Amino acid sequence: MRLSVSGKIIKEISEKIPNTIYAIVELIKNSYEAMANTVEINVCDNNIEIFDDGDGMDLDDIHALLIVSHSNKEYGVVKNGRIISGEKGLGFFSVFKFGSKVTVQTSKQGTDYSFTIDMNEIEGLEDIHDSNVDISESSSIDLKNNGTRIVIENLNSEAIELFRKVLDNSSDFLKLQNSIIDDNFNLTRREMVNVPVIGQVAAGQPLLAVE
């Protein structure tokens, strides 16, 4: 007999994240440790988008990302001049504090990957071992373009209100910017009316255009 874990555990974990700032920092930290120089947060009417120009992810990286409370990073290791925390934090699963559906599009070394996770589907599983995440894979049109785009949908109205307040408050936004102490790292935000979902991204459109 093997140990089983209900799908509800993922939702409960995300709901117990201490606060909105902590949840956003978890996502920013992931981008920083992926060697991103710029992270852009877009708040739209019906979704939140987080872009970065980091190394992107391949299938091994995605597999590691989807393991709850797991990290394949060693604490204190310096990579390209950056100290990697190596903490086994909530990381990617912080997204579910803000919405129940997340789509990830990422590009690494000439290959594009994308997948979607719907918490409403996972929550209904008696055992998350039975779940499967379908990952699409294709050759990149722009071989020089790496990075990751995360789109959070089916937003939690209370959480998104707090999310907006954090970004609108200059003191709170400064806390986010100061969560990464690196002069070469830049965090920006943009308020948008609406943006296309992943499937509507034009072919060859970069994951993040840095001006």
Side-chain angles (χ1 to χ4, degrees):
M1 180 179 294
R2 62 180 176 80
L3 182 67
S4 299
V5 181
S6 167
K8 291 182 179 179
I9 190 66
I10 305 295
K11 183 177 181 180
E12 292 176 3
I13 287 174
S14 62
E15 289 177 345
K16 293 186 185 304
I17 295 173
N19 55 57
T20 301
I21 291 180
Y22 181 90
I24 300 174
V25 167
E26 283 285 299
L27 299 174
I28 294 171
K29 184 174 66 177
N30 281 353
S31 295
Y32 181 75
E33 294 183 354
M35 301 297 116
N37 291 317
T38 300
V39 172
E40 180 180 298
I41 300 175
N42 295 334
V43 182
C44 313
D45 288 343
N46 57 0
N47 61 47
I48 297 170
E49 289 191 315
I50 301 171
F51 297 82
D52 75 50
D53 61 350
D55 291 340
M57 293 181 285
D58 56 21
L59 290 176
D60 289 337
D61 298 323
I62 293 172
H63 177 261
L65 182 79
L66 298 179
I67 302 177
V68 182
S69 191
H70 166 78
S71 176
N72 56 5
K73 309 164 188 173
E74 296 182 37
Y75 178 80
V77 169
V78 177
K79 180 180 178 182
N80 295 337
R82 298 184 177 187
I83 299 177
I84 307 302
S85 70
E87 297 175 355
K88 294 185 178 181
L90 297 174
F92 170 72
F93 292 95
S94 298
V95 298
F96 293 111
K97 184 174 182 67
F98 306 114
S100 63
K101 183 178 180 181
V102 59
T103 300
V104 176
Q105 180 187 34
T106 186
S107 182
K108 183 174 183 178
Q109 296 179 345
T111 304
D112 294 337
Y113 304 92
S114 66
F115 62 92
T116 297
I117 299 178
D118 191 330
M119 179 54 62
N120 293 327
E121 296 178 359
I122 293 178
E123 185 182 9
L125 296 174
E126 293 185 3
D127 186 354
I128 57 176
H129 182 268
D130 297 329
S131 65
N132 183 58
V133 177
D134 294 324
I135 302 172
S136 67
E137 179 178 345
S138 62
S139 297
S140 296
I141 295 176
D142 184 357
L143 298 180
K144 296 180 181 180
N145 182 46
N146 290 332
T148 299
R149 178 190 189 207
I150 298 175
V151 180
I152 308 169
E153 300 176 275
N154 297 346
L155 301 177
N156 178 317
S157 58
E158 182 178 349
I160 187 57
E161 183 177 352
L162 292 173
F163 191 104
R164 289 179 185 274
K165 286 182 177 180
V166 167
L167 297 186
D168 290 339
N169 184 290
S170 58
S171 177
D172 286 339
F173 190 69
L174 184 61
K175 289 179 183 178
L176 293 179
Q177 293 177 311
N178 290 338
S179 66
I180 302 294
I181 303 176
D182 189 331
D183 292 338
N184 296 317
F185 184 76
N186 183 39
L187 174 66
T188 63
R189 63 145 300 179
R190 183 182 302 173
E191 189 81 22
M192 302 179 71
V193 176
N194 199 4
V195 293
V197 294
I198 290 293
Q200 296 172 325
V201 175
Q205 178 179 332
L207 297 181
L208 174 63
V210 181
E211 298 179 354

